[in-house]
Structure formats: C-alpha cells, structure tokens
Amino acid sequence: MAEQEEDYSSLPLPDRFVHKNWKVRKQGYEDAAKAFQSTPDESDPVFKPFLLDSGLWKGAVADSNVAAQQEGINALCSFLKYGGRNGCMRTRNSTIASIFEKGLSSTRTATKQSSLEALLLYVELDKADPVIEELLPALSNKQPKIIAATLSAFTSIYHVYGVKIVDPKPVLKALPKIFGHADKNVRAEASNLVVELYRWLREAIKTLFWNDLKPVQQQDLEKLFEVVKQEPHPKQERLLRTQQAAVAAAPAAGGGDNLEGEGEEDEEEAEVDAFDLAEPVDVVSKIPADFYENLASTKWKDRKEALDALYTVIKVDRIKDGHYDELISVFAKCMKDANVAVVTVAANCVEALAKGLRKSFGKYRGRIMSPMLERLKEKKQSVADALGAALDAVFASTSLSDCLEEILEFLKHKNPQVKLETLRFLIRCLKTTRDAPSKAETKSIADAATKLLTESTEVTRSGGAEILGTVMKIMGERAMNPYLEGLDDIRKTKIKEYFDAAEVKAKDKPKPVAPPPKAAPAPQKKTLGKKTGTGVKKAPPRAATPQEDPLPPPPPTVKPATSRGIPSKLGGVPRSGLAAPSGALKLQKRLAGPTSASVPVLSSPQRNNPTPTFDDEAIPPPKLGLGGRGLAGRPLGKPASAHSEFTAPPAAPGMSAVDRAELDELRAEKDRLQKLTEDLRADKSRHASQINELQNQNAQLIEDHTRDVLSIKAKETQLVRARSDAEAAEQTVQKQQREMERLRRELSRVARATTPPMGADAGDHIYRDAGMGMNGTNHIVSGVDRYESSRASRELGYQRARSYMSSPSEEKENGGLDGQRGKLGSPESRGRDASDGARSRGESPGRGQEGRDGVTGQPIESWRRAAEVTSQLKARIEQMKARQGLARPH
C-alpha cells in the first residue's frame, strides 16, 4: 500500500485527475487545491495544464464518487479563486452543465454549497450573462430536483449580486412555464425566486410575466410581496473583480466612497423600471388603417374614436424606435381642435408615446411642446391635467436646458391661465431634473420668477416664490443671494419656506466643478518649475516665464530668437553694443502685457547660453538675414543710423514691432469678430421673432382653414339634405297626381252608374201610379221624398269631389271643361233655368232649382224633365185630395 501511495503521489496532477481509482482522484483534487492556494500569481505554471485541458474539470465536477466529487468541486473553486479571469473563461462552458446536473442536485450539503460558490465565482470573475445562459437549459430538465436546485441557485445569485449585475429578463421570461410545473417543490422555488426579484424590481417585475399567471398564483405572490414591501431597498453584497479593482484604486477617503455609494443607489433605483425590462414593441405596424381618414372627419366623435384606438396601440411599456414625425404632426394639429375631448385624448397619446420612447422622443420636443403650452389656456381641469402629464413625459425625454427657453417665453404669455400652468410646469421640471441649471440659466429663471412676484393674482406670486425657493434648493443659498437683494422681507420669508419644503433630485454641480480649477494651476506650477530650473542663471528670463504661459502657441519663434540672441553676445565691442537694445526690448515687452508671447524668444536663448558655446550657434544668423550680421560688425555710433534707415529690419530681430503690429491686428480682428457676433445675435433674435410671428400666422391660417373646411362640410351636408327633401317631395307629388287620376276615374264611373234613365216608361209608371188609391198615393209621396233626398246627397258629394280634386293648375289645364261645369253648375245658371221652366209651367222658380245638377249637359236635361214630372204629379195629387176632401196624412 505504501508503494502504491508513493506511485500515486508521484504522478502529475492531470494524470491523477483521470485515474481509475476514486481515492487517487480524491487525493489529486485535494493536492491541486493546495497547490493553487500556494501560487504567487495567476501566471504560475501549475495552472497551465488545467487551462489547456478544460475537460479535466468537467470530469472532476461530475465524478461518480460523491466524496471525490465534493473535493473536485472544491478544487475548481480554488482554481477559479486563484487562477483569475483566464481560468474562468477557459472552463466555464465545460463545467456549468455538470455543476447543475451533478453538483446542485447532490444529496450532500457541502457539495451543494461548493457548486453554488463555483457559480458565484464564475459571475465574479467575468460577467453574469454567460452563466445565466448556461443555466437556463436546466429549467427544461426532466428531473424536478434539478429544476428546483437551479431555481435556488438563481435566487442566490440575484440575492448576492442584484439585478444591476445580473439581467433578470431571461429568467423572468421562463417563469410562467415554471409556475405551471406539476411538482410543488419547483413551484415553491419559483415563488422564492420571484420574491427575491421583487426585492430589487418592485412593481416593475409584473410587466413581463404577471399576466401569464393564474389568479390564485397572483394572490399568493401578492401576500408574499406585502412582507417584502416593509423591507429597505437591497444592496449588492458581493463585488465583481472589476469592482474590487476600482475600489482598491479609489482614494482611501471615506467621503468619496459614500458619495459613490449614494450615486450607485440612485442609479439602481433609476434602472429598476418597467421600461428597461420590457421588450420594444413596433406600434407603427399596429396603427389602424383608417386612422388618418377618421382623424380628418368633420365629426368630433370620429376623431376621438380614432385617437382612442391609437392610444390603445401605443399604451405599452416600451416602443420601438422609428419615424413618428407624422404622428407628432397629427398630435400638434389635434392640440388646436375645437373639441376638448379630442384634445384630452391627443394629450394622452403624446404622454404614452413619450414614455414609450424615452430619450428617443427628444427630437420631437420642439414640434409638440409649443402647441401643448398654448393649449393650456383651457380652463377645464381634466384637459389641463392631461396636458400637464404629457408635458412632464416630454420633459423626461429631454433636459432642462432644452426646454427652458420655451418655458420662459410662455411665462410671459398674455393669457393668465397659460402663464399659471406654465409656471406649475416649470416648478415640476425643477423638482424632477437631475441636472442643475447653469449660471446663465439660473439668472434667467430668477429674473422671470422675480417678475412673477409682482403679479396681481396671489397664485402667480406664490408660484414665483416657489420657483426661487426650488432653484435655491438646487444651487444653494449663497448662489441665490444676488437675486434676492431687492426683495422685501415678506417675500424672502415666503421663498425661504418654499426652500425648506422643496424636494429636488438635481445634484449641485458647483461643488464638483470646483476641483478642476484647483487642478489647473498644478500644471502651471510644474511648467514654472521646469522653466526656472532650465533658466537658473538669469533672473530676467524667469520673470518673463510667467508671461510665457498664457500664450504658448508661438514656439516656432524660439529658434529665430536663439539664433539672433547668440550672435549679439559673440565678439567684444559689438556684443556690449547690442546688449542694451536687447534689454530695452525686454522692458517694452514686459510693459505690453498681450505681447508677452515674444518673451520666450529672448529668454530661451539665454537659458541655452551656458551649454552651447560652439560654432553651431554662429550658423543660425545667416538664416535670419544679413541685417543682423551687419549690425554686429559696425561701430556703436552707427546702429542708430541703421535703425533710422531700416525701420522694418530692426523690428524683425527684436520682434517688438512685429509683435505690436500683430497685436494691433489681433485687436482689430477681435473687435471685428465682436461686432460680427453682436450683429449675428441681433439677426438671430430678429429671425427668432420673425419665426415666432410666422408660426403664429401659420397657426391662425391653419385654424381659419380648418374653420372654413368645417363650414363647407356643413353647407354640403345641408345641400345634400335639401336635395333629398326635394326628391322626397317630388315623389309625394307624383303619388298625389296618381291618386287624383284614380279618383277622377272613380268619380266618373260612379256618376255614370248612379244616373237613372228617364224615358217614356218612367212617365207612364208615374201616371200609372197616380190612379192608385190612398195607399198608392202615400207610397208615391214617400218614394218622391226619398228620391229627392238621394239626389241632394249626390249633388253634395259631387260638389265635394270637385272641390277636392280641383286645383289652380288643373283649372288652367282643363279650362274648357271647368268653365262649362262652372257655367252649368253655378247657382245663378241653375236658378235662371229653374225659373224659366217654372214660368212655362206656371210654377214658382224655387221648386225647379231642386233638380239642377251641373255635372254634364245630358244629366241636366234628365233632371229637368224629372222635375217637371214631379211637379205635375204633386199637382194632380193635390187635386185628388181636394176632390176627395182628404187631408195629407201626418
């Protein structure tokens, strides 16, 4: 046994990892772990065989012997801990599958803990995404214990690192299927994972999978959430290697760490949002096909229904970025709609689109914000609330600097309602912005708010004080003191109250900005030190070096200065003769502050004088021209004449005249540029006012055009209705005409049917009845009475029919017939005929009128004969009664 142990221990570690004897493998795992712990760094040779062959770790993690497996996973943890990121990336793909299949589901607690530690090390050394990607297939495993163990590992990973390091979206998408698993242990572990994710995400967790759960499961989870809501916001418990390196490199001061910690917490809270978890939705393809057609309808209900349908489409957590220019134009037009319901729904659509696009909506701000601010004149609170929410969403997609100019412009609006709502919008912007305004923006806000303090309405004055208090909360009391000097104590007290009560999210930038100016002098001190070190010999160059810093651009002029300064010091008498002019030039340049750029030209050759005393320094003068050499070879009395003769050459070697000319030129250029800048600013302001005026005119024209279109549509509708009424009236007239024709035919038929024939038989019958007795006489009298009553009724019916059927048009069309009827049937004609007949028979005219009828010529003659017969019959009856002495029966 001892010999075997010596043989086994002498084997290399890779050979012992694959040995058939589990004890050898177990001992090899233990020795490897100790060897890894004793390495000085990650580049130790002991790591090399395990980096080249990652299959060794796959066999160690999935060892058939549980005791050897435990030691193998411990060895893997040691390898990852001391082997670094390279060992992690080389072994990750080959070991994670074996870890969740064999390690996490092991019956040994130590093996489970070592497996979980290996997963946490994989996340710590690189990043979490590859680890999550390798673990997700385990959720589809056939064995419930593997699924439950993997869910427990997910819970531990999120608990240690949080959702900022480990993306929760892949796991959340797989949860609905897990909650439908048949095994209760799997569902329990899924609930634990959801609760852990709720600790980090809060209500944003419900955006991905909540609707796919059963109501009972939702209720159970809500009960578990109630306990978590009482807990504080969680923090990351374990740092990545990159974070550890950043902390180690950071300064040891605790204040900076605290600030960083606070910043990280704010970022975490900001990232816990449904927008980050949701998948982008392409809403353009889902817009109804008839949306733009219905939106152009003259009926406000159609426009509102179109916007309602669009709101249903775009009301999602995240919208895919695309081209929404047409929709923005539609919303801007709807802001001018006459119906407030359409305006409200349009504002809701703008809010949904801005929240779905977030920062991508910023490019549309300039086209939609002005119409919404202008529509704030609406006094209805529901409309104002909808517009305010839409403005807040638009502001969230941009910054305070982008919106401030437009907001301040509407604070001067002549409509009090617009001014008040804009003021409230500015207050909300100041409270929600995370970027403090600049000094210029602070001044403009303070000036606008100070003007509001003098308004007539108390609400506006309070709003101005609240603006100043909120800005003071962001910028600090010291920064706002200059803007409060002219205010009385009452207003200052009011502003102080708002300052104390304000809650802002902006970070005070003046404090962090202060360090950079402190760091800026440091390089200046270094340059000064270098210059003083190089030019220690002479004080004048050191005095000139501070002036050299502001204008470092002219280093090329150093070479000509060195070449000119050196020959002036060569030679006996010429050197002394030129020393004085060089000193005078230095004094002139010191007095001329802006020309200090020329100082290095004189100081640099003096610094180089100690070391270079060779003939090479005498070579540069010919390059600069012959003037310098000629001056060096002349006596002392001649330089003045030379200077007077050649004005330009002396300026070149001394650089004084050139610098002055250049300075004058630069000053003139500066003045010209300043004037040009002022002109451009004036043009810009004028153009801005023109643009504003043109926009107002365009808006007015659009409104007039819309009103004209609506009136034209209304007139067209009235015209269509009038045409339909005319057609209906024509149909009614035609129907009445047909009815009149029918009645005419019916009347003629009835007249022909009811006219009795009057002939010889009738007369004989009447005379034959006259000879009858008393009974016959009574019958005759009664028959005559009935006949007369029936005749009178028929005449009345004919008259009514004629009055019903007659009309002015018919009288004109049927003038001949109606004239004949009128002539025959009129009371005068009937009276004349009756009187003529009565005279011929010796009777009164009144009785003859009873038998007239003006229907046709032939019936009149028949009635006339009938009347004569009746009269004769009555006369004979009276004669018979008189003879017999009988009275008429009563």
Side-chain angles (χ1 to χ4, degrees):
M1 292 295 294
E3 294 178 358
Q4 291 180 354
E5 290 178 0
E6 290 179 0
D7 292 338
Y8 294 150
S9 60
S10 63
L11 290 175
L13 288 176
D15 295 341
R16 294 161 67 182
F17 268 48
V18 295
H19 202 275
K20 295 181 180 180
N21 192 337
W22 67 270
K23 293 182 179 180
V24 177
R25 296 196 302 272
K26 180 175 178 294
Q27 188 63 37
Y29 300 151
E30 294 175 354
D31 294 344
K34 294 177 182 179
F36 297 148
Q37 294 176 5
S38 60
T39 55
D41 53 27
E42 299 174 1
S43 60
D44 194 274
V46 73
F47 295 107
K48 187 174 181 180
F50 299 98
L51 292 175
L52 296 176
D53 187 7
S54 59
L56 296 174
W57 292 115
K58 182 178 181 180
V61 172
D63 199 300
S64 58
N65 186 274
V66 292
Q69 179 192 13
Q70 179 178 344
E71 296 300 330
I73 297 176
N74 291 335
L76 175 63
C77 293
S78 180
F79 172 78
L80 294 175
K81 185 176 180 180
Y82 298 100
R85 185 170 181 269
N86 192 19
C88 163
M89 298 182 66
R90 290 291 184 89
T91 61
R92 180 172 54 200
N93 295 333
S94 58
T95 57
I96 291 181
S98 301
I99 287 175
F100 69 73
E101 287 178 358
K102 299 291 185 179
L104 293 176
S105 59
S106 175
T107 56
R108 291 196 170 193
T109 305
T111 304
K112 291 182 179 180
Q113 293 178 353
S114 300
S115 301
L116 180 60
E117 178 64 21
L119 294 176
L120 295 177
L121 285 170
Y122 276 122
V123 175
E124 176 184 335
L125 292 170
D126 186 24
K127 54 185 179 180
D129 294 342
V131 179
I132 299 299
E133 185 179 355
E134 293 288 339
L135 286 176
L136 283 176
L139 299 179
S140 302
N141 199 286
K142 295 181 179 180
Q143 300 182 23
K145 66 176 184 178
I146 295 179
I147 300 176
T150 306
L151 290 173
S152 178
F154 276 131
T155 304
S156 301
I157 292 173
Y158 283 112
H159 182 82
V160 172
Y161 292 108
V163 294
K164 182 180 178 182
I165 304 299
V166 187
D167 187 10
K169 286 193 290 186
V171 179
L172 287 174
K173 291 178 181 179
L175 283 178
K177 182 179 178 181
I178 301 300
F179 274 98
H181 201 277
D183 190 85
K184 63 178 182 179
N185 295 327
V186 174
R187 295 195 302 270
E189 290 295 338
S191 300
N192 295 335
L193 176 58
V194 171
V195 172
E196 179 60 35
L197 291 174
Y198 186 83
R199 292 177 62 243
W200 297 90
L201 301 176
R202 300 298 178 181
E203 295 298 323
I205 194 177
K206 298 181 180 180
T207 58
L208 290 180
F209 76 101
W210 190 256
N211 295 330
D212 297 332
L213 301 181
K214 297 179 181 179
V216 177
Q217 294 174 337
Q218 293 179 358
Q219 293 176 3
D220 295 341
L221 290 176
E222 287 289 354
K223 294 178 181 178
L224 298 175
F225 293 163
E226 292 297 330
V227 180
V228 179
K229 289 179 181 179
Q230 308 299 327
E231 300 177 359
H233 191 78
K235 297 181 181 180
Q236 183 179 347
E237 297 180 359
R238 186 167 177 172
L239 299 178
L240 302 179
R241 286 291 174 91
T242 55
Q243 294 175 331
Q244 294 175 13
V247 171
D257 295 340
N258 294 336
L259 291 175
E260 291 179 359
E262 292 177 1
E264 290 178 359
E265 289 181 5
D266 294 340
E267 290 178 0
E268 288 179 0
E269 292 178 2
E271 289 184 0
V272 178
D273 193 355
F275 180 82
D276 300 310
L277 298 178
E279 293 293 332
V281 180
D282 184 11
V283 299
V284 177
S285 59
K286 298 181 181 180
I287 297 177
D290 57 348
F291 169 72
Y292 296 102
E293 181 181 355
N294 293 336
L295 201 61
S297 175
T298 57
K299 298 181 180 180
W300 69 269
K301 289 186 178 179
D302 295 342
R303 300 196 298 272
K304 182 178 179 298
E305 290 175 358
L307 291 173
D308 286 334
L310 177 65
Y311 180 75
T312 305
V313 172
I314 64 177
K315 184 61 178 176
V316 293
D317 294 319
R318 188 171 185 176
I319 298 176
K320 184 179 180 180
D321 192 13
H323 299 286
Y324 300 96
D325 301 86
E326 192 172 1
L327 279 180
I328 297 299
S329 301
V330 166
F331 295 151
K333 184 179 179 181
C334 289
M335 291 301 157
K336 302 175 183 178
D337 199 285
N339 190 275
V340 293
V342 176
V343 177
T344 303
V345 181
N348 294 336
C349 292
V350 172
E351 179 186 3
L353 188 62
K355 289 183 176 179
L357 290 175
R358 290 290 175 92
K359 295 299 180 182
S360 300
F361 189 84
K363 55 187 175 183
Y364 307 115
R365 178 204 60 81
R367 300 170 56 185
I368 193 63
M369 179 171 282
S370 292
M372 288 195 296
L373 289 173
E374 189 68 33
R375 190 64 188 197
L376 288 174
K377 62 185 178 181
E378 194 65 42
K379 294 183 179 180
K380 195 172 183 180
Q381 191 60 34
S382 59
V383 182
D385 294 342
L387 290 172
L391 287 171
D392 293 342
V394 172
F395 174 76
S397 65
T398 57
S399 62
L400 181 62
S401 301
D402 296 335
C403 305
L404 184 59
E405 183 178 357
E406 202 164 357
I407 294 173
L408 294 179
E409 189 66 26
F410 274 89
L411 279 179
K412 306 173 185 177
H413 203 277
K414 58 183 179 180
N415 191 316
Q417 187 68 19
V418 175
K419 183 183 297 185
L420 179 60
E421 293 298 333
T422 306
L423 185 151
R424 293 172 177 171
F425 173 52
L426 177 58
I427 294 173
R428 295 196 300 271
C429 293
L430 292 173
K431 290 182 177 179
T432 56
T433 182
R434 293 186 177 274
D435 300 323
S438 62
K439 291 184 179 179
E441 293 171 349
T442 304
K443 184 179 184 303
S444 59
I445 295 173
D447 293 342
T450 305
K451 292 180 181 179
L452 294 176
L453 294 176
T454 60
E455 289 287 334
S456 57
T457 57
E458 196 276 333
V459 180
T460 308
R461 294 195 300 271
S462 300
E466 187 172 359
I467 290 176
L468 291 173
T470 307
V471 176
M472 185 185 295
K473 192 76 171 181
I474 298 173
M475 305 302 297
E477 296 185 50
R478 183 178 180 183
M480 291 298 294
N481 285 335
Y483 307 109
L484 306 181
E485 289 180 355
L487 301 179
D488 54 19
D489 295 338
I490 297 177
R491 290 173 179 171
K492 288 183 179 179
T493 304
K494 192 75 171 177
I495 294 171
K496 183 66 174 176
E497 292 176 358
Y498 284 114
F499 165 73
D500 296 334
E503 296 180 1
V504 296
K505 297 181 180 179
K507 298 178 181 179
D508 191 8
K509 283 189 176 180
K511 294 180 181 177
V513 171
K518 294 179 181 177
Q524 293 178 359
K525 291 180 180 178
K526 291 179 181 178
T527 55
L528 289 172
K530 290 179 181 178
K531 291 177 181 177
T532 54
T534 55
V536 175
K537 280 194 172 183
K538 293 190 178 182
R542 282 179 300 203
T545 48
Q547 298 177 358
E548 181 182 351
D549 294 333
L551 294 175
T557 59
V558 175
K559 292 181 179 179
T562 56
S563 63
R564 289 170 184 164
I566 294 170
S568 66
K569 297 180 181 180
L570 296 175
V573 177
R575 179 184 60 186
S576 62
L578 293 177
S582 64
L585 290 175
K586 290 181 184 179
L587 292 176
Q588 291 176 358
K589 292 177 182 180
R590 289 178 187 175
L591 294 176
T595 61
S596 60
S598 60
V599 175
V601 178
L602 298 176
S603 61
S604 57
Q606 292 173 358
R607 289 196 298 266
N608 295 330
N609 285 336
T611 54
T613 57
F614 307 102
D615 295 335
D616 296 340
E617 297 179 354
I619 298 173
K623 297 180 181 178
L624 296 175
L626 298 174
R629 188 186 302 175
L631 289 175
R634 291 180 181 180
L636 293 175
K638 292 182 180 180
S641 61
H643 181 73
S644 61
E645 290 175 0
F646 306 98
T647 55
M655 298 300 292
S656 171
V658 174
D659 289 343
R660 288 178 181 176
E662 185 178 0
L663 176 61
D664 294 338
E665 184 180 355
L666 290 175
R667 286 177 177 174
E669 183 69 16
K670 178 182 178 183
D671 296 338
R672 187 181 65 81
L673 291 177
Q674 287 180 349
K675 185 177 180 181
L676 180 61
T677 304
E678 292 176 357
D679 295 341
L680 292 176
R681 287 178 180 174
D683 293 341
K684 179 181 177 182
S685 60
R686 185 174 65 257
H687 291 161
S689 62
Q690 291 177 358
I691 290 172
N692 191 15
E693 183 179 357
L694 291 176
Q695 287 179 347
N696 295 334
Q697 293 178 1
N698 187 26
Q700 184 65 29
L701 290 176
I702 292 174
E703 186 175 357
D704 295 341
H705 175 69
T706 305
R707 184 169 59 251
D708 294 340
V709 170
L710 293 177
S711 62
I712 290 171
K713 294 292 185 180
K715 296 296 183 182
E716 290 179 353
T717 304
Q718 295 177 0
L719 182 59
V720 170
R721 290 179 180 175
R723 287 177 180 173
S724 62
D725 294 343
E727 293 176 357
E730 289 178 359
Q731 293 178 0
T732 304
V733 170
Q734 293 176 1
K735 183 178 180 181
Q736 294 296 335
Q737 288 178 352
R738 290 194 299 269
E739 184 67 17
M740 289 169 61
E741 294 294 336
R742 188 186 65 79
L743 291 175
R744 286 176 182 174
R745 292 193 298 269
E746 185 68 19
L747 180 60
S748 61
R749 186 183 64 78
V750 172
R752 288 193 300 270
T754 57
T755 302
M758 300 298 294
D761 296 336
D764 296 339
H765 180 73
I766 293 172
Y767 289 113
R768 194 167 47 248
D769 291 340
M772 296 176 65
M774 190 64 171
N775 295 332
T777 302
N778 295 336
H779 287 297
I780 290 172
V781 173
S782 61
V784 171
D785 294 337
R786 286 195 300 272
Y787 182 77
E788 289 180 354
S789 63
S790 64
R791 182 173 59 82
S793 63
R794 284 196 300 273
E795 288 181 358
L796 181 60
Y798 295 156
Q799 292 175 1
R800 291 179 178 175
R802 283 198 305 274
S803 64
Y804 176 78
M805 294 171 60
S806 63
S807 64
S809 61
E810 292 175 0
E811 289 177 0
K812 292 180 181 180
E813 293 175 0
N814 306 319
L817 181 59
D818 292 340
Q820 183 180 4
R821 289 178 182 174
K823 184 177 180 180
L824 296 176
S826 62
E828 293 82 358
S829 60
R830 288 198 303 270
R832 286 194 299 270
D833 294 340
S835 60
D836 294 340
R839 290 193 197 97
S840 63
R841 292 187 300 272
E843 297 178 356
S844 62
R847 300 185 64 86
Q849 293 177 359
E850 298 177 359
R852 307 290 182 212
D853 193 343
V855 179
T856 59
Q858 184 176 1
I860 292 174
E861 296 297 332
S862 300
W863 286 113
R864 187 177 297 170
R865 290 192 298 272
E868 293 176 355
V869 172
T870 304
S871 301
Q872 294 175 4
L873 182 58
K874 287 184 177 181
R876 294 186 64 180
I877 290 173
E878 292 294 334
Q879 291 176 2
M880 290 173 63
K881 288 181 179 179
R883 279 193 225 109
Q884 295 177 1
L886 298 175
R888 180 175 293 185
H890 297 283

